[in-house]
């Protein structure tokens, strides 16, 4: 694209033509002489033997005036017919040459597409006339496609991929949802008589497990063995090479605090209620029925969800599995696969091992 822009700028620029300095008027004898009175033997050269005589120009002496000191032969002419400026103009580049240059530049950029179209058209024409010739096989490709050409064969690929991995700044998150019920109970005794009221609610919790994708430079040292890239085959004759990558990452971390867990869908009405029926009155639990506020219910549900997301295997296993899958997809699709493809390789195998127990 830079080459095309350079060619277009060179072809379409409008430069003003260079001007030459005019003669200095030496004497007043030349003031009265017009362009028609300047005799010349050949174009641009003054013929000194044909200067006007006193009969042709009244009041002028017989001897011819001297030409300017800086030029005794060549007398340049102005564009209007008089001396002083050159009448030749700078020739512009023909339009057909501009279009040919642009077409050539476009053809070089889209050479694969043009070659493919030419081969297809030639094959169809030969098929119509009944000729069966072996034509070269060319694949259609656009210039912006990340086509694996196999031009890079001697590059140490391992440090390039590791540099991309070390640039990861965000951890991978694996989320899981689970539902549960919880009961909130309030006791308010009246003297020796017990009085309590309870309500049971339904809640939906969300928890996340995280994976640190870039533990730091010390984690990726050669002695640690946490990163290994194996070149299975090099790119050759337009065919891509093949690589395998093995990594070791820290185990996914379960929620570390109640703030890592969110609660949704706490209904305003409980699914069940219960209270005491002790004397006196119809029932102290009914008479002093408490009003449960949303912040109180949310805090209790969050505490229960946090405990379940860190201790109940039916919830911790999906959390860890989701975090591991998300880490693998993020590293493979966003960092390793594009890097190896840019160097002419295909990622045949990608393995992540987890250090320590969750």
């Amino acid at each position: 694209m830079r080459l095309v822009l350079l060619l277009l700028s060179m072809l379409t620029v409008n430069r003003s033509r260079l001007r030459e300095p005019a003669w200095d008027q030496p004497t007043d004898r030349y003031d009265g002489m017009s362009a028609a009175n300047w005799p010349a033997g050949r174009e641009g050269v003054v013929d000194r033997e044909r200067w006007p005589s006193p009969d042709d120009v009244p009041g002028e002496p017989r001897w011819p005036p001297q030409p300017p000191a800086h030029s005794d032969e060549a007398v340049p002419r102005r564009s209007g017919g008089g001396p002083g400026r050159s009448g030749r103009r700078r020739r512009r580049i023909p339009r057909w040459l501009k279009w040919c240059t642009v077409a050539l530049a476009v053809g070089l950029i889209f050479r694969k597409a043009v070659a493919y179209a030419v081969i297809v058209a030639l094959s169809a024409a030969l098929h119509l006339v009944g000729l069966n010739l072996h034509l070269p096989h060319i694949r259609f490709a656009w210039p912006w496609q990340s086509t694996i050409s196999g031009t890079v064969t001697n590059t140490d690929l391992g440090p390039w991929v590791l540099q991309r991995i070390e640039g990861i700044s965000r951890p991978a998150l694996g989320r899981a949802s689970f539902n549960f019920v919880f009961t909130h109970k309030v006791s308010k005794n009246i003297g020796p008589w017990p009085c309590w009221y309870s309500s049971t609610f339904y809640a939906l919790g969300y928890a996340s497990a995280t994976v640190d994708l870039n533990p730091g430079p010390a984690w990726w040292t050669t002695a640690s063995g946490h990163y290994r890239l194996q070149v299975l085959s090099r790119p050759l004759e337009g065919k891509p090479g093949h690589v395998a990558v093995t990594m070791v990452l820290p185990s996914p971390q379960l929620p570390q605090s109640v703030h890592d867990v969110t609660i949704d869908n706490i209904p305003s009405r409980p699914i069940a209620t219960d209270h005491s029926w002790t004397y006196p009155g119809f029932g102290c639990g009914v008479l002093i029925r408490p009003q449960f506020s949303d912040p109180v219910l949310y805090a209790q549900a969050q505490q229960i969800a946090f405990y379940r997301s860190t201790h109940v295997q039916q919830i911790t296993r999906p959390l860890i599995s989701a975090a591991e899958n998300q880490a693998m997809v993020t590293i493979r699709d966003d960092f390793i696969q594009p890097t190896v493809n840019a160097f002419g390789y295909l990622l045949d195998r990608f393995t992540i091992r987890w250090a320590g127990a969750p």
Side-chain angles (χ1 to χ4, degrees), residues 171-348:
L173 299 178
R175 302 191 64 186
S177 60
F178 52 94
N179 49 32
F180 60 96
V181 294
F182 68 97
T183 302
H184 186 70
K185 181 178 179 181
V186 175
S187 298
K188 243 182 186 182
N189 297 332
I190 302 176
W193 297 281
C195 183
W196 53 268
Y197 189 92
S198 65
S199 298
T200 302
F201 296 90
Y202 171 85
L204 180 64
Y206 294 93
S208 300
T210 60
V211 176
D212 189 1
L213 302 181
N214 185 16
W219 183 268
W220 303 115
T221 58
T222 306
S224 64
H226 292 160
Y227 167 78
R228 180 185 179 187
L229 186 144
Q230 182 181 5
V231 178
L232 304 178
S233 63
R234 296 282 184 179
L236 183 63
E237 298 180 355
K239 296 182 180 180
H242 300 270
V243 298
V245 177
T246 303
M247 296 175 55
V248 179
L249 289 176
S251 299
Q253 296 292 327
L254 295 172
Q256 302 297 310
S257 66
V258 294
H259 302 290
D260 297 334
V261 180
T262 58
I263 303 299
D264 191 13
N265 196 22
I266 296 181
S268 58
R269 294 184 179 181
I271 59 177
T273 58
D274 195 9
H275 55 82
S276 61
W277 292 93
T278 56
Y279 182 84
F282 178 71
C284 67
V286 177
L287 295 178
I288 61 172
R289 176 181 177 181
Q291 298 294 328
F292 297 146
S293 62
D294 291 339
V296 173
L297 296 177
Y298 187 89
Q300 182 180 358
Q302 198 174 29
Q303 289 285 350
I304 297 174
F306 173 68
Y307 177 83
R308 293 175 63 88
S309 62
T310 54
H311 293 81
V312 180
Q313 292 187 356
Q314 289 81 358
I315 300 175
T316 58
R317 288 179 180 176
L319 273 176
I320 294 175
S321 178
E324 292 175 351
N325 293 335
Q326 185 63 33
M328 178 172 291
V329 171
T330 301
I331 296 179
R332 181 188 60 200
D333 297 347
D334 297 343
F335 296 94
I336 297 182
Q337 188 76 52
T339 305
V340 299
N341 287 350
F343 285 92
Y345 291 87
L346 290 177
L347 183 61
D348 283 7

